[in-house]
PDB file of all heavy atoms in Angstrom:
ATOM      1  N   LEU I 528     104.143  68.804  65.261  1.00 96.00           N
ATOM      2  CA  LEU I 528     102.785  68.456  64.900  1.00 96.00           C
ATOM      3  C   LEU I 528     102.679  68.118  63.345  1.00 96.00           C
ATOM      4  O   LEU I 528     101.936  67.218  62.990  1.00 96.00           O
ATOM      5  CB  LEU I 528     101.861  69.592  65.278  1.00 96.00           C
ATOM      6  CG  LEU I 528     100.398  69.214  65.474  1.00 96.00           C
ATOM      7  CD1 LEU I 528     100.176  68.229  66.625  1.00 96.00           C
ATOM      8  CD2 LEU I 528      99.483  70.442  65.634  1.00 96.00           C
ATOM      9  N   LEU I 529     103.362  68.939  62.573  1.00 97.00           N
ATOM     10  CA  LEU I 529     103.339  68.657  61.129  1.00 97.00           C
ATOM     11  C   LEU I 529     104.017  67.354  60.813  1.00 97.00           C
ATOM     12  O   LEU I 529     103.514  66.490  60.026  1.00 97.00           O
ATOM     13  CB  LEU I 529     104.109  69.777  60.379  1.00 97.00           C
ATOM     14  CG  LEU I 529     103.387  71.101  60.121  1.00 97.00           C
ATOM     15  CD1 LEU I 529     104.376  72.183  59.733  1.00 97.00           C
ATOM     16  CD2 LEU I 529     102.282  70.944  59.018  1.00 97.00           C
ATOM     17  N   ILE I 530     105.188  67.067  61.479  1.00 97.00           N
ATOM     18  CA  ILE I 530     105.855  65.820  61.302  1.00 97.00           C
ATOM     19  C   ILE I 530     104.938  64.615  61.697  1.00 97.00           C
ATOM     20  O   ILE I 530     104.875  63.590  61.092  1.00 97.00           O
ATOM     21  CB  ILE I 530     107.200  65.853  62.018  1.00 97.00           C
ATOM     22  CG1 ILE I 530     108.153  66.875  61.431  1.00 97.00           C
ATOM     23  CG2 ILE I 530     107.898  64.446  61.932  1.00 97.00           C
ATOM     24  CD1 ILE I 530     109.384  67.116  62.250  1.00 97.00           C
ATOM     25  N   GLU I 531     104.355  64.705  62.933  1.00 97.00           N
ATOM     26  CA  GLU I 531     103.519  63.682  63.490  1.00 97.00           C
ATOM     27  C   GLU I 531     102.406  63.403  62.532  1.00 97.00           C
ATOM     28  O   GLU I 531     101.950  62.240  62.273  1.00 97.00           O
ATOM     29  CB  GLU I 531     103.028  64.093  64.890  1.00 97.00           C
ATOM     30  CG  GLU I 531     102.266  62.945  65.519  1.00 97.00           C
ATOM     31  CD  GLU I 531     101.800  63.312  66.887  1.00 97.00           C
ATOM     32  OE1 GLU I 531     102.076  64.527  67.384  1.00 97.00           O
ATOM     33  OE2 GLU I 531     101.171  62.445  67.605  1.00 97.00           O
ATOM     34  N   PHE I 532     101.834  64.466  61.916  1.00 97.00           N
ATOM     35  CA  PHE I 532     100.715  64.298  60.981  1.00 97.00           C
ATOM     36  C   PHE I 532     101.086  63.574  59.745  1.00 97.00           C
ATOM     37  O   PHE I 532     100.378  62.711  59.224  1.00 97.00           O
ATOM     38  CB  PHE I 532     100.072  65.662  60.676  1.00 97.00           C
ATOM     39  CG  PHE I 532      98.810  65.629  59.883  1.00 97.00           C
ATOM     40  CD1 PHE I 532      97.652  65.302  60.494  1.00 97.00           C
ATOM     41  CD2 PHE I 532      98.770  65.782  58.502  1.00 97.00           C
ATOM     42  CE1 PHE I 532      96.412  65.186  59.804  1.00 97.00           C
ATOM     43  CE2 PHE I 532      97.629  65.683  57.771  1.00 97.00           C
ATOM     44  CZ  PHE I 532      96.410  65.415  58.450  1.00 97.00           C
ATOM     45  N   SER I 533     102.325  63.864  59.292  1.00 97.00           N
ATOM     46  CA  SER I 533     102.806  63.175  58.017  1.00 97.00           C
ATOM     47  C   SER I 533     102.944  61.641  58.297  1.00 97.00           C
ATOM     48  O   SER I 533     102.619  60.803  57.429  1.00 97.00           O
ATOM     49  CB  SER I 533     104.091  63.726  57.569  1.00 97.00           C
ATOM     50  OG  SER I 533     105.187  63.406  58.504  1.00 97.00           O
ATOM     51  N   TYR I 534     103.344  61.304  59.552  1.00 97.00           N
ATOM     52  CA  TYR I 534     103.514  59.831  59.854  1.00 97.00           C
ATOM     53  C   TYR I 534     102.129  59.224  60.098  1.00 97.00           C
ATOM     54  O   TYR I 534     101.963  57.999  59.899  1.00 97.00           O
ATOM     55  CB  TYR I 534     104.456  59.634  61.039  1.00 97.00           C
ATOM     56  CG  TYR I 534     105.857  59.751  60.604  1.00 97.00           C
ATOM     57  CD1 TYR I 534     106.639  60.836  60.955  1.00 97.00           C
ATOM     58  CD2 TYR I 534     106.476  58.795  59.826  1.00 97.00           C
ATOM     59  CE1 TYR I 534     107.945  60.952  60.495  1.00 97.00           C
ATOM     60  CE2 TYR I 534     107.788  58.886  59.481  1.00 97.00           C
ATOM     61  CZ  TYR I 534     108.588  59.976  59.729  1.00 97.00           C
ATOM     62  OH  TYR I 534     109.899  59.999  59.398  1.00 97.00           O
ATOM     63  N   GLU I 535     101.137  60.015  60.553  1.00 97.00           N
ATOM     64  CA  GLU I 535      99.821  59.424  60.746  1.00 97.00           C
ATOM     65  C   GLU I 535      99.236  59.057  59.398  1.00 97.00           C
ATOM     66  O   GLU I 535      98.456  58.033  59.320  1.00 97.00           O
ATOM     67  CB  GLU I 535      98.981  60.426  61.483  1.00 97.00           C
ATOM     68  CG  GLU I 535      99.158  60.532  62.988  1.00 97.00           C
ATOM     69  CD  GLU I 535      98.930  59.218  63.747  1.00 97.00           C
ATOM     70  OE1 GLU I 535      97.982  58.461  63.314  1.00 97.00           O
ATOM     71  OE2 GLU I 535      99.628  58.996  64.703  1.00 97.00           O
ATOM     72  N   LEU I 536      99.462  59.921  58.406  1.00 96.00           N
ATOM     73  CA  LEU I 536      99.017  59.550  57.061  1.00 96.00           C
ATOM     74  C   LEU I 536      99.683  58.365  56.546  1.00 96.00           C
ATOM     75  O   LEU I 536      99.019  57.490  55.873  1.00 96.00           O
ATOM     76  CB  LEU I 536      99.305  60.744  56.094  1.00 96.00           C
ATOM     77  CG  LEU I 536      98.648  62.057  56.373  1.00 96.00           C
ATOM     78  CD1 LEU I 536      98.992  63.089  55.275  1.00 96.00           C
ATOM     79  CD2 LEU I 536      97.121  61.948  56.413  1.00 96.00           C
ATOM     80  N   SER I 537     100.979  58.234  56.854  1.00 96.00           N
ATOM     81  CA  SER I 537     101.685  57.008  56.440  1.00 96.00           C
ATOM     82  C   SER I 537     101.129  55.726  57.121  1.00 96.00           C
ATOM     83  O   SER I 537     101.016  54.647  56.498  1.00 96.00           O
ATOM     84  CB  SER I 537     103.142  57.085  56.757  1.00 96.00           C
ATOM     85  OG  SER I 537     103.878  58.125  55.978  1.00 96.00           O
ATOM     86  N   LYS I 538     100.732  55.858  58.383  1.00 96.00           N
ATOM     87  CA  LYS I 538     100.151  54.727  59.074  1.00 96.00           C
ATOM     88  C   LYS I 538      98.821  54.325  58.400  1.00 96.00           C
ATOM     89  O   LYS I 538      98.533  53.127  58.270  1.00 96.00           O
ATOM     90  CB  LYS I 538      99.855  55.113  60.561  1.00 96.00           C
ATOM     91  CG  LYS I 538     101.136  55.193  61.427  1.00 96.00           C
ATOM     92  CD  LYS I 538     100.746  55.690  62.803  1.00 96.00           C
ATOM     93  CE  LYS I 538     102.019  55.980  63.564  1.00 96.00           C
ATOM     94  NZ  LYS I 538     101.748  56.487  64.956  1.00 96.00           N
ATOM     95  N   VAL I 539      97.989  55.293  58.014  1.00 96.00           N
ATOM     96  CA  VAL I 539      96.718  54.981  57.336  1.00 96.00           C
ATOM     97  C   VAL I 539      97.013  54.338  56.016  1.00 96.00           C
ATOM     98  O   VAL I 539      96.213  53.444  55.580  1.00 96.00           O
ATOM     99  CB  VAL I 539      95.881  56.219  57.162  1.00 96.00           C
ATOM    100  CG1 VAL I 539      94.601  55.971  56.427  1.00 96.00           C
ATOM    101  CG2 VAL I 539      95.481  56.893  58.493  1.00 96.00           C
TER     102      VAL I 539
END
Side-chain angles (χ1 to χ4, degrees):
L528 200 66
L529 281 166
I530 296 171
E531 187 177 2
F532 189 78
S533 71
Y534 282 107
E535 284 299 327
L536 296 184
S537 294
K538 289 176 185 177
V539 175

